[in-house]
Amino acid sequence: MLPFLPRRDEYDVVIVGSGAGGGMAAYELTKAGASVCLLEAGIPWDNTRDSSMLVWPWETDRRGGSTKERPFGEHDACIGGWNIEGEPFTTAPGTRFNWWRARMVGGRTNHWGRISLRFGPDDFQRKSIDGLGDNWPITYDEIKPWYDEVDRLIGIFGSNEGLHNHPDGIFLPPPTPRCWEHVVKRAADRQGVTCIPSRLSIITRPHNGRPGCHYCGQCNRGCAVNANFSSTNVLIAPALRTGKLTLVTGAMAREVTTGTDGLAKSVVYIDTATGEEREVSGRVIVLAASACESARILLNSSSSRHPDGLANSSGVVGKYLTDTTGTDVGGFIPALVDQPRHNCDGVGGAHLYMPWWLDNTKLDFPRGYHIEIWGGMGMPGAGFMGGIQNYGQGGGYGAALKEQYRHYYGTTIGFSGRGEMIPNEKSYCELDPKTVDRYGIPVLRFHWEWTDHEYLQVKHMQETFRSLLAEMGAEVRSTMPTKEQGYGIATGGAIIHELGCVRMGNDPKTSALNANCAAWDCKNLFVADGGPFVSQADKNPTWTILALSMRTSRHIVAERKAGRL
C-alpha cells in the first residue's frame, strides 16, 4: 500500500504526473536525497490492493464488460478513457482525433501491454537517412547506458537477436510460445517475416525483491504481486519509502508560475475534490503529465514574460504531435477447431512479435512497423469471441450453444500493426479559445492529418496480415479496406502513443527543450514524458520515456550539486 506523507511549503522538486516519466523522476530524485512533491490528477490506486487479477468474469454482473471509466473492461487496471466527464477536448473542423487520459496513480502504466522496445540507432537519426522529419539531439549510443539501467532496475524478458535497429537488452528468459503462437511462427518463417520472442516488462524470474510471473495472463488488470511493471509500486512505492516524497492525488495542474528572475517557481493546481486553487513551490519543476497534457500546462502558463506560454519562444509547444499508426486483421483458423484443452495463459500478452524486417528504400513508404499478434484461449467474458454467430454453424441455445463455443474456442488469430508516423506541421494541439473544463482550465483543440507515408504503410500492413493468414489456411471475413477508407488506418490517438508537442533539439529557435530535456527559456523546468520526442519510431515509447526520464533526473541531481540549479 502507498503511504501518504504530510505536505511542506517548498520542495526541491515538484513533479506533475505519476506515470512512467513522473514515476522514474520521483524514484531517481528521492534516491538522491531531494525532497519531492508528486502531483497526480487522478485517484489513489495500488495494484497490490486494488487489482481484480483473480476475479472470474462471471463473479460480477457485467461479466467483465466495459464501464464509463474503464473502456477496456470493468477489471482493466486503468481508470480514464478518451472521454472523461467534465474534461473535454475539441477538434478542428475536419479533424478526427481521440485523446486518452488516465486518472489514477501510475497513469497509463497500469494497463499498458508492457511492450518494452528500445528505439534503435537509425530512429534517432532518421532525417540523415531519408531526409524526412528531424534528427534527435542525442544518439542511441548516448541513451544506451540508460536503457541498460532501466532493464536492470525494472526487469524485462526477451532474446538477444543482433538486429541492427532493434537493439538487444539485458533480458530475463522469455516464456515458451503457446500452441497458437507456433502456428504464427511457422507461417511467418514461410513468408520471410522475422518473428522473435516478445520484449515485455514482465519478470519471468524473481527480480529486485519482486516475484516472477505466475502466468495467470491478466496483466491488464494490474498485477497483485508486482511481477509486471507499473510506476505505482516499482517506482513510486520505493520513492515513498525514502521519506522524501509527498504524493498528492486529485491535483489537476493548471500552470507553472515563474519569478522575477525568469525561473520556474511553482505549480498551480485545482483540488479536484473541493475545486479550490492550490499552489506548491519547487526549486525545480518537472512536467510528466503526458505529451499533450504537459503542452497544455505550458500553453496555459502564459505571462508578460512568456506571452505565448512558458518554454514557447520557439512557437513549437503543441506542434509536431504524432501517434503510432495502426490497423488490425484477424481470421478463423480451421486447423485449431476442437483443440485439446490446455493451459495457454502465459503472460498478459503475446510471447512472440515481429519487428520490422524490410528495407524501406525498396518500398513506397519511408518508415516501418512492427506486428503484434493475438489469439489463443483467453479468459472468457463479455463479448467473448466476438459473437458465436461469426463461426461456421455457430449459434443455438442451451447445451448446443455451449458446445459450439467449446468447438470454436481459440480458433481466431489476428495481427495488429504498430508503425511510425512522420511528424508534420498539420498535426498539433493548441488551446481552444472558448472551451474550458470543469475546473475552468482552457482545454486543448486538436488538428490532425495522416499523409501518404502513413496510408501506404498501413496498406502494406493489411496486405501482410492477409498473406500471413492465408498461409495458415485462415478464413478472413473482412474485406481489404480501400484507399477511400484509408486502408483501415486507426484514428489518430487511438493507439494511445501520443508523442512530441514539447520537442527537444539543438536549436532554441526550433525546439522547446535542450538535449537534457530542460526548457531553453527556463533552465529549472524539465519535461520527462513523451513530449520531448523528436520522432515516433516503429516501437512503443514507454522504455524510451523511462530512459530519458532517468537521464534527465540524474542531470538535475548533477546540476544541483554543482550549484547551477
Side-chain angles (χ1 to χ4, degrees):
M1 181 181 293
L2 299 175
F4 294 87
L5 300 177
R7 305 178 194 180
R8 54 196 288 170
D9 294 331
E10 184 179 47
Y11 297 83
D12 294 328
V13 184
V14 176
I15 302 170
V16 180
S18 65
M24 179 61 80
Y27 175 86
E28 284 290 327
L29 293 166
T30 55
K31 186 175 68 171
S35 62
V36 177
C37 181
L38 179 59
L39 302 178
E40 164 56 47
I43 64 172
W45 202 83
D46 181 343
N47 50 281
T48 64
R49 179 192 66 212
D50 301 321
S51 167
S52 59
M53 182 176 74
L54 299 180
V55 175
W56 294 105
W58 53 84
E59 291 185 78
T60 64
D61 291 341
R62 304 184 69 87
R63 303 295 193 266
S66 65
T67 67
K68 194 171 185 179
E69 64 176 11
R70 283 189 164 104
F72 292 124
E74 66 175 327
H75 299 302
D76 189 79
C78 197
I79 297 170
W82 288 285
N83 297 294
I84 299 176
E85 186 176 351
E87 297 184 42
F89 61 88
T90 65
T91 55
T95 287
R96 294 180 64 233
F97 187 85
N98 293 320
W99 184 26
W100 175 278
R101 280 125 329 138
R103 289 293 178 257
M104 62 197 302
V105 172
R108 302 181 190 186
T109 68
N110 289 296
H111 87 126
W112 68 306
R114 273 89 189 177
I115 297 171
S116 305
L117 307 175
R118 300 182 180 206
F119 281 23
D122 294 349
D123 297 322
F124 292 95
Q125 304 295 316
R126 281 294 181 188
K127 185 175 183 179
S128 297
I129 296 171
D130 61 22
L132 299 171
D134 287 291
N135 291 334
W136 289 57
I138 58 175
T139 64
Y140 175 75
D141 287 341
E142 289 176 89
I143 198 172
K144 180 184 181 300
W146 306 103
Y147 280 132
D148 289 349
E149 286 211 40
V150 172
D151 286 358
R152 292 189 186 98
L153 172 65
I154 293 174
I156 175 176
F157 73 70
S159 59
N160 289 315
E161 303 286 341
L163 302 173
H164 165 68
N165 203 45
H166 307 279
D168 295 329
I170 302 169
F171 294 130
L172 296 168
T176 302
R178 305 165 173 99
C179 173
W180 67 272
E181 290 170 324
H182 283 289
V183 176
V184 172
K185 172 66 172 168
R186 286 199 297 269
D189 288 348
R190 288 194 292 265
Q191 294 268 320
V193 179
T194 302
C195 185
I196 64 174
S198 295
R199 296 170 174 184
L200 306 183
S201 48
I202 302 167
I203 55 177
T204 54
R205 299 286 188 274
H207 185 76
N208 290 341
R210 295 157 52 212
C213 179
H214 54 269
Y215 302 121
C216 74
Q218 303 303 311
C219 287
N220 68 301
R221 296 184 176 200
C223 185
V225 301
N226 283 329
N228 66 24
F229 169 69
S230 68
S231 174
T232 312
N233 271 297
V234 178
L235 299 174
I236 295 173
L240 283 163
R241 287 194 291 269
T242 67
K244 292 289 186 177
L245 178 65
T246 301
L247 174 61
V248 182
T249 55
M252 179 64 68
R254 187 182 70 200
E255 64 183 296
V256 177
T257 69
T258 54
T260 56
D261 56 3
L263 297 179
K265 183 178 70 172
S266 69
V267 176
V268 176
Y269 67 93
I270 306 300
D271 184 322
T272 61
T274 67
E276 295 176 347
E277 178 182 299
R278 300 186 185 278
E279 184 174 8
V280 58
S281 299
R283 298 178 183 88
V284 173
I285 306 296
V286 178
L287 297 183
S290 82
C292 298
E293 191 68 63
S294 289
R296 179 191 181 202
I297 293 168
L298 292 172
L299 292 171
N300 275 314
S301 302
S302 59
S303 63
S304 58
R305 184 189 290 269
H306 305 287
D308 298 318
L310 187 56
N312 196 30
S313 62
S314 62
V316 302
V317 172
K319 303 298 176 60
Y320 303 107
L321 169 63
T322 63
D323 186 29
T324 295
T325 59
T327 195
D328 315 279
V329 182
F332 163 61
I333 315 296
L336 296 179
V337 169
D338 285 328
Q339 291 180 65
R341 289 296 170 262
H342 62 284
N343 185 345
C344 66
D345 284 347
V347 304
H351 293 180
L352 300 174
Y353 93 112
M354 304 173 193
W356 181 236
W357 70 102
L358 296 174
D359 179 356
N360 283 98
T361 63
K362 299 177 181 178
L363 300 168
D364 60 356
F365 56 95
R367 306 283 172 87
Y369 58 89
H370 75 262
I371 304 174
E372 299 170 14
I373 65 176
W374 37 278
M377 293 183 286
M379 175 75 75
F384 174 53
M385 291 172 59
I388 195 65
Q389 72 277 5
N390 295 317
Y391 293 81
Q393 301 301 312
Y397 299 90
L401 176 61
K402 292 179 181 179
E403 187 55 37
Q404 288 292 320
Y405 269 107
R406 295 186 184 100
H407 183 64
Y408 291 112
Y409 185 29
T411 59
T412 294
I413 288 177
F415 301 95
S416 295
R418 297 292 181 259
E420 178 172 359
M421 173 189 180
I422 299 173
N424 67 71
E425 293 183 352
K426 295 183 179 180
S427 296
Y428 63 95
C429 58
E430 62 184 351
L431 294 181
D432 188 294
K434 297 180 180 179
T435 306
V436 298
D437 65 15
R438 65 166 68 175
Y439 310 109
I441 305 172
V443 306
L444 288 179
R445 176 170 61 188
F446 289 94
H447 300 252
W448 188 261
E449 185 173 298
W450 297 117
T451 71
D452 282 345
H453 299 319
E454 290 79 44
Y455 285 123
L456 293 173
Q457 180 197 81
V458 168
K459 177 175 180 283
H460 190 275
M461 291 182 193
Q462 284 275 340
E463 292 167 345
T464 299
F465 302 165
R466 292 169 189 276
S467 178
L468 286 166
L469 288 164
E471 188 71 50
M472 299 177 204
E475 297 175 14
V476 180
R477 299 187 181 94
S478 64
T479 58
M480 174 73 187
T482 65
K483 179 179 180 180
E484 291 70 27
Q485 294 170 319
Y487 300 114
I489 195 168
T491 301
I495 309 300
I496 320 180
H497 289 168
E498 318 93 68
L499 299 173
C501 297
V502 197
R503 58 164 37 188
M504 62 197 303
N506 287 320
D507 186 348
K509 294 180 181 178
T510 58
S511 58
L513 311 174
N514 65 22
N516 291 307
C517 296
W520 291 109
D521 302 345
C522 187
K523 70 176 184 177
N524 68 332
L525 172 65
F526 296 82
V527 180
D529 49 28
F533 282 47
V534 179
S535 61
Q536 179 85 33
D538 56 352
K539 288 95 174 168
N540 299 35
T542 304
W543 225 238
T544 303
I545 291 173
L546 288 162
L548 285 175
S549 179
M550 179 183 279
R551 178 176 179 268
T552 294
S553 299
R554 298 277 182 89
H555 172 75
I556 292 171
V557 171
E559 290 295 287
R560 281 183 52 76
K561 285 183 177 178
R564 291 188 289 266
L565 279 180

